[in-house]
Amino acid sequence: QHYFIQSNLSHMAHIEEIRNKIHLDLHTVRNTEDTRYPDTYSGYDDSWNLAKFQKNFKLEIVSMSHRQVEFDMIGIDTPFANAFRRILIAEVPTMAVEEVFIYNNTSVMQDEVLAHRLGLLPINVDPRLFEMKKKDEEVTERNTLKFRVKVRCKRNKKAPADTTNPDELYLNSKVYTRDIVWEPFNKQLDWLPGGVRFTEDDILVNVLRPGQELDMVLHAVKGVGSDHAKFSPVATATYRLMPEIELLEPVRGALAERLQACFSPGVVQVEEGQAVVRNPRLDSGSREVLRHPDLADKVKLLKVRDHFIFSIESTGALEPLELLREAVKVLKHKCQVYRKELDVLTG
C-alpha cells in the first residue's frame, strides 16, 4: 500500500510537470504543446471559466521607466501573450512622416534615402489626438502634422587656422532632429500647447558641406506598424517564459563553483560551499550545464508554461504602460468584431 501511494504521488507529480512546465534537454525541448484541455487528464477540470481566469491571472511590474517596462504576466495562455506582442508591434497607431516635399537637396544623400530616413524618426506626440488620414483626403489639423527643414552649410570664418575639425570649420554641417521645426496647422497650437517635437533632439539626419542645402516640408500622419515599420510604437516588444531550475541533489565544493559558472551571473550562488538557486529569472536558457556529464544529472531545467516575462521599450510617443493599455483596447475590439460575426453566422 505504501508503494502504491508513493507511485501514485510520483505519477501525479509527473502529470503536473507535463501540464505546467516545459522541459529543456541538451538538444531538445519537451512538453512544448499545451495539453490543458477538457477531458485530457482524468481528475482535472480544464474547462475555461471567467472566475477561474480572474483568480489566476496576475500582472506584476518588475521595473519601469518612461521608455521601458518589464512586467510578469501570469496565468495566461501563449496565444494571448503572443497576441499582445504582435498588437504592440503592428496595430497600436503612432504618428510618422509620410510625405516629404523636397524643394532643394544638394547633399550627397539621395532624395528617396533621405525621405526614408525622415520617416523612421519617432515623433513625441500623442497619436490618440489625431484621426487616420484616408487616401486622397484633404490635409486638416486633425489628420496631419507639418514640419519644415531649411538648413544651409557655410564656412566658419572664425575657425582656427590650424583646425581640421569639420565641426569647427563649417557652420550647420550636421542636420539634427532639433533643426526640424513644427509648423502648426490652423488651431493645432490650441490643443497642442506643449508643441510637437521628435523624441530626441540629437538624432543625426544628414551631413552637409559648404554650399549644400536642405529645404523640405514634411507631413506626418497617423498609421500602424502593419502598414509600415515606421509607425510601430515600440523599439522592442518581447516575452520569454519564466525559467525554473531544480537541483536534484546537493552540489558542493569545486563542483558547486563549476555549476555556478554554467549559468548567467546571479542565477546560482555558492553559500557555505553548497550551490543554491537564487534568481532563476536571470537565466538565459543556454543549457550549458547539460554539456557536462558530471553536472547534467544533478539539475533539471524547466520553463513555467503560463508565466511570461514581458519587456516593452517605447519609441517615445507613449509610455510603455500606456502602450499595453492601447494593445488591450485593440484586442478587445477584435473580440467584439469576432462576436458580431459569430452572431451573424449563427442567426
Side-chain angles (χ1 to χ4, degrees):
Q1 185 178 3
H2 176 73
Y3 172 78
F4 174 77
I5 293 173
Q6 287 294 108
S7 177
N8 190 47
L9 289 174
S10 176
H11 176 68
M12 294 296 290
H14 179 64
I15 289 181
E16 281 296 318
E17 186 172 298
I18 292 175
R19 284 166 48 81
N20 301 315
K21 306 290 173 62
I22 295 173
H23 199 291
L24 277 67
D25 295 323
L26 179 57
H27 298 297
T28 59
V29 181
R30 290 187 281 123
N31 304 337
T32 56
E33 294 185 7
D34 196 344
T35 56
R36 296 170 298 176
Y37 300 109
D39 302 324
T40 302
Y41 299 99
S42 177
Y44 289 91
D45 179 16
D46 285 321
S47 59
W48 192 91
N49 66 76
L50 182 60
K52 184 166 65 174
F53 172 78
Q54 291 175 330
K55 179 182 177 181
N56 295 331
F57 180 75
K58 296 178 184 178
L59 197 150
E60 300 174 351
I61 296 175
V62 177
S63 62
M64 183 172 62
S65 67
H66 74 289
R67 283 291 185 87
Q68 192 165 2
V69 65
E70 182 178 312
F71 60 89
D72 290 356
M73 192 178 282
I74 306 167
I76 200 168
D77 293 332
T78 304
F80 284 100
N82 196 44
F84 284 123
R85 182 190 68 85
R86 291 174 64 91
I87 290 171
L88 281 165
I89 293 171
E91 298 188 58
V92 174
T94 63
M95 301 292 288
V97 173
E98 176 72 5
E99 295 179 324
V100 181
F101 302 93
I102 301 176
Y103 299 108
N104 197 6
N105 173 24
T106 55
S107 71
V108 297
M109 188 177 293
Q110 300 95 327
D111 291 352
E112 59 271 24
V113 175
L114 180 58
H116 183 266
R117 189 176 181 85
L118 290 165
L120 294 173
L121 298 174
I123 302 173
N124 188 12
V125 66
D126 191 339
R128 295 170 294 189
L129 300 174
F130 294 85
E131 302 169 353
M132 290 282 192
K133 184 176 180 293
K134 298 177 183 178
K135 187 177 180 181
D136 300 326
E137 185 181 1
E138 290 292 325
V139 171
T140 69
E141 63 179 275
R142 284 295 177 178
N143 65 23
T144 303
L145 286 169
K146 181 182 176 182
F147 298 90
R148 185 67 184 255
V149 188
K150 191 173 179 63
V151 181
R152 183 179 178 85
C153 181
K154 300 177 181 179
R155 291 189 179 276
N156 183 8
K157 296 180 180 179
K158 298 181 180 180
D162 59 343
T163 185
T164 58
N165 185 353
D167 293 335
E168 295 178 347
L169 285 171
Y170 315 124
L171 299 174
N172 301 324
S173 63
K174 293 179 180 178
V175 182
Y176 293 96
T177 42
R178 57 175 169 264
D179 299 313
I180 305 175
V181 182
W182 173 53
E183 295 186 348
F185 266 138
N186 297 332
K187 297 181 180 180
Q188 277 185 339
L189 199 56
D190 295 340
W191 49 277
L192 293 170
V196 177
R197 60 182 180 82
F198 290 88
T199 55
E200 302 292 341
D201 292 332
D202 58 351
I203 301 175
L204 184 63
V205 177
N206 204 348
V207 175
L208 304 178
R209 286 297 177 260
Q212 295 180 347
E213 181 181 2
L214 285 181
D215 187 1
M216 302 177 294
V217 171
L218 320 178
H219 283 186
V221 299
K222 186 175 180 178
V224 292
S226 57
D227 290 334
H228 195 287
K230 66 185 178 183
F231 291 113
S232 181
V234 293
T236 58
T238 62
Y239 67 77
R240 59 190 178 96
L241 292 174
M242 172 65 84
E244 186 175 293
I245 301 166
E246 181 181 341
L247 297 180
L248 303 177
E249 60 182 78
V251 182
R252 300 184 176 90
L255 210 58
E257 294 180 359
R258 287 182 52 221
L259 180 70
Q260 181 186 25
C262 289
F263 293 92
S264 302
V267 176
V268 175
Q269 299 289 347
V270 178
E271 299 177 2
E272 299 180 355
Q274 181 170 324
V276 180
V277 178
R278 278 294 168 224
N279 193 353
R281 181 189 195 88
L282 301 176
D283 183 42
S284 63
S286 69
R287 294 181 273 186
E288 169 67 19
V289 66
L290 301 180
R291 296 179 61 246
H292 303 271
D294 54 343
L295 293 174
D297 60 347
K298 294 177 173 55
V299 65
K300 183 188 288 186
L301 304 181
L302 304 166
K303 299 275 189 179
V304 183
R305 190 184 300 280
D306 63 350
H307 189 150
F308 297 88
I309 302 173
F310 263 87
S311 178
I312 301 174
E313 183 182 353
S314 170
T315 57
L318 293 174
E319 292 193 355
L321 273 185
E322 281 300 311
L323 291 177
L324 181 61
R325 292 189 184 100
E326 292 302 306
V328 172
K329 291 178 183 178
V330 172
L331 183 59
K332 183 178 179 180
H333 175 71
K334 286 176 176 287
C335 292
Q336 291 170 342
V337 171
Y338 185 61
R339 287 189 64 179
K340 288 181 182 178
E341 293 294 330
L342 284 177
D343 290 341
V344 172
L345 289 174
T346 55

